Amino acid sequence: MAGGYHFEGLNPPEMTLGQKLAAVNWLLVLLMGTIASIGFAMLYSAANGSFSPWAIRQAIRFGVGLIVMLSVAMVDVRFWMRSAYLIYAGVLALLVGVEVMGEIGMGAQRWIDLGVFQLQPSELMKIALVLALARYFHGLTWDEVGNPVNLIPPLLMIATPVVLVLRQPDLGTALMIIMGAGAMFFLAGVRIWKFLTLIGVAIATVPVAWQLMRGYQQQRILTFLNPESDPLGSGYHILQSKIALGSGGLFGKGFLEGSQSHLNFLPEKQTDFIFTMLAEEFGLVGGLGLIGLYVLVVGYGIAIAIRARSQFGRLVAHGVTTTLFLYLFINVAMVMGLIPVVGVPLPMISYGGTAMLTIMLGFGMVIGVSVHRDVRIGRAGVEED
């Protein structure tokens, strides 16, 4: 032990900037850059062979995001632990700000116009909540996690933003926040029987939840159950998505050759349904190849979490990696018709600034956990000797 650090191998105490850069997992950075590059190509295709308006903007956003990601990775993990509740409170204030001055788009009020770009605070909340829950559970012992009373504060931390997000309304993001938080509870050691109890309560309240849903949300579920009931209305999106997926076959029709997307049958091809366009142009092989890249990123995230010496670092790495997995799973399952359409983007592929910033900010913290993996932090939030 020296200077509050316990270290092995390459990570000495009080690392210099050069040592931190050398400790960065550059293969993970390369993987993320590869996925983003596929996104640029698909946005180029979505615009019928033009970098404008989507591909060039997305590339600029990725460049900014890459700087943010590497800058965040250089920050000592203890800083994020000390700042976790403050960051959560700040993003929560932004969610309240959406209620006051949010921009309305596509029937929802989800964005704050910052002039340069529109910020969607509900996306940032996914990372802010991971930090806050990691900070909270880091301070509890195994026995304290098992006490139901100690679960009330984190449940309130989840419920507050979920209620605000549902008011926007954004059911997809609210469900992602709940599922991501549920994973954090499990990783922190919350007993299985408590999850089963909550699932039972949730099932029992389905009739009430159905009545509280807005009309279009109810229609999405009904359409999911039987999309052929309204093929030119609410079922149009998913039916066209299935047609495009099937028409791609094994190897696809070729880059820029997707008929469903380029003849404008496929809706929202630059955002929610961009995976469908990729599968039509590059087929099953292309779709599985992209999913394989995501699986590698998830694998790196899990490996980093396992190697971290602090509970806070482990929970942050696991939580951010789970968030990426949820983005991927929900989007792909949605365009395949396995779950209702909920408007969740494909990370680093779909056009959108805040979603990309969220993922890159989060993985900056994951890489930071890797760089500072030998830091030990006591339950009170101070370094151990």
Side-chain angles (χ1 to χ4, degrees):
M1 303 276 182
Y5 282 78
H6 176 84
F7 61 95
E8 296 175 350
L10 297 177
N11 281 340
E14 304 303 330
M15 298 168 67
T16 65
L17 179 60
Q19 289 170 328
K20 290 182 179 182
L21 287 172
V24 167
N25 191 319
W26 291 106
L27 283 177
L28 176 56
V29 176
L30 178 62
L31 276 173
M32 298 189 71
T34 302
I35 293 172
S37 297
I38 293 172
F40 306 152
M42 297 318 302
L43 290 172
Y44 176 84
S45 178
N48 296 313
S50 173
F51 287 106
S52 178
W54 301 310
I56 186 65
R57 293 181 183 176
Q58 191 82 337
I60 293 171
R61 289 167 175 170
F62 177 76
V64 174
L66 185 61
I67 295 172
V68 170
M69 183 174 73
L70 293 176
S71 299
V72 168
M74 298 297 101
V75 178
D76 195 306
V77 68
R78 290 169 296 181
F79 171 82
W80 299 116
M81 182 166 178
R82 290 193 297 267
S83 307
Y85 292 148
L86 184 61
I87 292 171
Y88 171 83
V91 177
L92 191 63
L94 289 175
L95 277 176
V96 174
V98 171
E99 290 282 314
V100 179
M101 57 180 183
E103 292 288 316
I104 297 177
M106 300 180 68
Q109 186 170 335
R110 303 173 185 172
W111 298 270
I112 295 177
D113 191 351
L114 299 179
V116 179
F117 69 99
Q118 289 188 328
L119 180 69
Q120 188 174 353
S122 58
E123 290 289 334
L124 295 178
M125 179 51 72
K126 295 169 185 173
I127 302 302
L129 187 59
V130 165
L131 285 174
L133 291 177
R135 172 68 181 89
Y136 181 81
F137 283 119
H138 177 92
L140 299 183
T141 64
W142 173 260
D143 290 334
E144 288 171 336
V145 170
N147 186 344
V149 174
N150 290 327
L151 300 183
I152 295 176
L155 286 173
L156 291 176
M157 276 193 267
I158 299 166
T160 305
V162 165
V163 169
L164 290 171
V165 170
L166 286 174
R167 283 181 54 83
Q168 294 180 1
D170 190 349
L171 181 61
T173 299
L175 290 175
M176 272 198 68
I177 291 174
I178 292 171
M179 288 187 288
M184 292 288 289
F185 272 58
F186 176 77
L187 294 167
V190 175
R191 312 318 189 245
I192 293 294
W193 69 266
K194 293 172 184 173
F195 285 98
L196 296 177
T197 301
L198 285 175
I199 292 172
V201 171
I203 293 174
T205 58
V206 165
V208 177
W210 177 263
Q211 295 299 322
L212 293 176
M213 284 184 179
R214 296 172 182 252
Y216 78 91
Q217 293 171 335
Q218 294 177 343
Q219 188 59 44
R220 280 183 179 179
I221 295 176
L222 294 174
T223 299
F224 161 70
L225 296 173
N226 184 18
E228 289 79 10
S229 63
D230 189 11
L232 298 179
S234 57
Y236 180 81
H237 288 57
I238 191 60
L239 287 176
Q240 293 300 322
S241 180
K242 288 180 177 180
I243 291 171
L245 284 168
S247 66
L250 186 60
F251 296 105
K253 296 179 176 179
F255 188 51
L256 298 174
E257 299 297 327
S259 57
Q260 292 298 114
S261 54
H262 292 289
L263 294 176
N264 293 323
F265 289 108
L266 184 65
E268 304 296 334
K269 58 187 177 182
Q270 79 280 10
T271 53
D272 294 349
F273 289 88
I274 197 166
F275 182 82
T276 303
M277 187 176 70
L278 180 144
E280 184 184 25
E281 296 190 0
F282 296 99
L284 177 64
V285 172
L288 290 178
L290 177 61
I291 291 174
L293 290 175
Y294 280 118
V295 169
L296 288 174
V297 172
V298 169
Y300 270 112
I302 293 173
I304 288 170
I306 291 172
R307 293 188 64 186
R309 291 186 176 273
S310 68
Q311 173 75 333
F312 176 77
R314 283 191 292 270
L315 289 175
V316 167
H318 274 307
V320 172
T321 303
T322 299
T323 298
L324 175 70
F325 171 78
L326 289 173
Y327 270 114
L328 172 65
F329 174 79
I330 293 174
N331 181 271
V332 174
M334 175 185 74
V335 301
M336 293 176 66
L338 300 178
I339 62 174
V341 176
V342 290
V344 172
L346 189 62
M348 296 182 293
I349 301 286
S350 295
Y351 180 74
T354 309
M356 175 172 280
L357 175 63
T358 298
I359 289 297
M360 301 198 74
L361 178 65
F363 268 85
M365 294 178 184
V366 173
I367 295 171
V369 169
S370 177
V371 170
H372 304 92
R373 59 184 173 270
D374 291 316
V375 174
R376 291 180 179 269
I377 311 173
R379 286 201 303 272
V382 297
E383 58 190 283
E384 288 184 343
D385 295 316

